Amino acid sequence: MTTRRKFLTSAGAVGTAALAAPAVHSQSTIRWRMQTYAGAALAEHVIVPAINSFNKIAGERMQIELFFADQLVPTGELFRAMQRGTIDAVQSDDDSMASPTEVTVFGGYFPFASRYSLDVPVLFNQYGLKEIWEEEYAKVGVKHISAGAWDPCHFATKDPINSLADLQGKRVFTFPTAGRFLAQFGVVPVTLPWEDIEVAVQTGELDGVAWSGITEDYTVGWADVCNYFLTNNISGAWIGHFFANMDRWNEVPEDLQELLRVCMDQSHYYRQWWYWGGEADLRVNGTKMELTTIPDAEWAQVEQAANAFWDEIASESETKARIVGIIKQYNDAMAKAGRPYRYT
């Protein structure tokens, strides 16, 4: 597990590129290097189509070279590498890339902040989170380009989870903030390189993952090594983003900046329907994992704990309190709106 993996070479990624040298921008073609949080199999859905579209349309004016999880730098070092200009752009959540900003804790899976994937773009585009993220990243020399929703967060495990007691002692690969929240229920968060997770479950180093929904479990191979899927989730959608080094972004002509936004928005839209359809289809027709459920009355303890967790985070800074206030305001509006926005 401690041996460095060979770099992946599929889907246009070039894992042997020199890390220390920044991207070269010739007069004829602007060239960016972008690294995603996703491994090769997942990247084929969450990023490759968007980059292929951009490169096809931009042509000789600009090309983006895509790298997968941990190929150039470990995911936890993505922010620093982008800030330094070692790489030009990143697709990740704030939490995974160890962003040193006030908004980091809300990236990835902030417990129960969203129930459905559409909650994320509404929070950013109608409730003001977009402006907060732009301000926070501008302070540290990074351009926040756009935010989008990914899949919900569920447990996939080797042993069945039918009660909160079954979570005790489970070594789980998850996001930093999700792990911080789940630790109160006995979960032991474990951090490993993304591509090592399948083997870690096989060898017993991990008891499971709480990193995705069932679509990703099947797509990346975790459904082949996990026997059970817990239908309860701690978040309805992962919050992920596209970022760029601010100097590199400012070097790009306005029309190509707009093209980047359009292709990234198309990528967000792709995930909306790919995950939404996949989560339902694989629960019904999937054959690799047995579904389990913690009863609603017991799971309510987790939801109540999330409210206390929100208040804990809000107490840490004015910016965090502002964001928690927006999340509370939004969820209150959704609850009052009733079906189909929220079911009681």
Side-chain angles (χ1 to χ4, degrees), residues 108-305:
Y109 292 117
F110 191 64
F112 298 101
S114 65
R115 298 286 178 158
Y116 308 111
S117 57
L118 279 174
D119 291 340
V120 174
V122 174
L123 278 164
F124 273 82
N125 296 307
Q126 294 186 359
Y127 278 73
L129 294 193
K130 178 176 180 289
E131 289 75 19
I132 297 174
W133 259 249
E134 289 176 349
E135 292 170 4
E136 289 299 310
Y137 279 98
K139 294 176 184 177
V140 291
V142 168
K143 172 64 178 178
H144 175 263
I145 303 173
S146 67
W150 274 248
D151 51 342
C153 183
H154 293 260
F155 284 89
T157 53
K158 296 177 71 173
D159 298 322
I161 305 295
N162 293 298
S163 69
L164 292 181
D166 292 334
L167 295 175
Q168 289 290 330
K170 291 291 187 293
R171 294 160 298 178
V172 174
F173 174 63
T174 189
F175 292 84
T177 298
R180 174 180 169 183
F181 172 70
L182 291 170
Q184 64 187 293
F185 300 102
V187 173
V188 180
V190 178
T191 300
L192 290 170
W194 192 91
E195 289 290 343
D196 291 343
I197 302 309
E198 185 174 350
V199 173
V201 175
Q202 289 177 305
T203 61
E205 186 173 358
L206 288 174
D207 297 305
V209 298
W211 203 85
S212 69
I214 198 169
T215 307
E216 283 191 21
D217 292 337
Y218 273 76
T219 301
V220 306
W222 296 340
D224 296 324
V225 295
C226 292
N227 301 316
Y228 299 92
F229 179 84
L230 181 65
T231 60
N232 311 77
N233 66 56
I234 67 163
S235 176
W238 188 70
I239 302 175
H241 313 267
F242 289 100
F243 305 94
N245 175 281
M246 188 67 80
D247 291 337
R248 300 289 81 78
W249 173 262
N250 289 335
E251 292 171 1
V252 175
E254 289 186 7
D255 63 327
L256 289 179
Q257 290 179 351
E258 187 64 21
L259 179 59
L260 277 166
R261 292 190 186 95
V262 169
C263 290
M264 291 171 182
D265 283 346
Q266 178 62 27
S267 179
H268 295 319
Y269 172 67
Y270 179 103
R271 286 187 302 276
Q272 287 272 304
W273 59 260
W274 183 63
Y275 280 123
W276 185 256
E279 296 300 301
D281 178 66
L282 289 171
R283 285 193 189 195
V284 175
N285 300 311
T287 59
K288 294 182 179 180
M289 293 189 292
E290 181 180 338
L291 304 184
T292 65
T293 300
I294 296 175
D296 289 345
E298 188 175 1
W299 190 250
Q301 298 176 43
V302 183
E303 297 185 0
Q304 292 167 5

Side-chain angles (χ1 to χ4, degrees), residues 102 105-106 110 177 180 308-317 320-321 324:
E102 288 290 304
V105 71
F106 302 99
F110 191 64
T177 298
R180 174 180 169 183
F309 186 77
W310 289 8
D311 292 337
E312 175 187 341
I313 297 300
S315 70
E316 295 177 353
S317 74
K320 291 177 181 177
V324 169

Side-chain angles (χ1 to χ4, degrees), residues 62-78:
M62 183 171 176
Q63 290 289 291
I64 297 175
E65 188 176 17
L66 180 64
F67 298 83
F68 302 140
D70 305 315
Q71 281 196 288
L72 293 181
V73 297
T75 297
E77 298 175 16
L78 275 176

Side-chain angles (χ1 to χ4, degrees), residues 5-118:
R5 302 178 309 282
K6 293 182 178 179
F7 283 160
L8 302 172
T9 57
S10 62
V14 183
T16 57
L19 175 58
V24 177
H25 300 270
S26 67
Q27 292 182 353
S28 59
T29 304
I30 299 171
R31 298 191 183 278
W32 272 15
R33 296 193 300 179
M34 173 184 283
Q35 183 171 311
T36 175
Y37 75 99
L42 181 59
E44 286 295 330
H45 291 279
V46 301
I47 183 63
V48 169
I51 299 306
N52 286 347
S53 293
F54 178 85
N55 288 341
K56 183 177 181 179
I57 299 169
E60 295 183 357
R61 296 184 64 199
M62 183 171 176
Q63 290 289 291
I64 297 175
E65 188 176 17
L66 180 64
F67 298 83
F68 302 140
D70 305 315
Q71 281 196 288
L72 293 181
V73 297
T75 297
E77 298 175 16
L78 275 176
F79 176 85
R80 296 299 184 188
M82 174 175 52
Q83 187 183 46
R84 291 192 304 265
T86 302
I87 53 180
D88 302 292
V90 164
Q91 180 199 38
S92 179
D93 66 279
D94 319 76
D95 208 16
S96 296
M97 71 176 188
S99 165
T101 65
E102 288 290 304
V103 301
T104 297
V105 71
F106 302 99
Y109 292 117
F110 191 64
F112 298 101
S114 65
R115 298 286 178 158
Y116 308 111
S117 57
L118 279 174

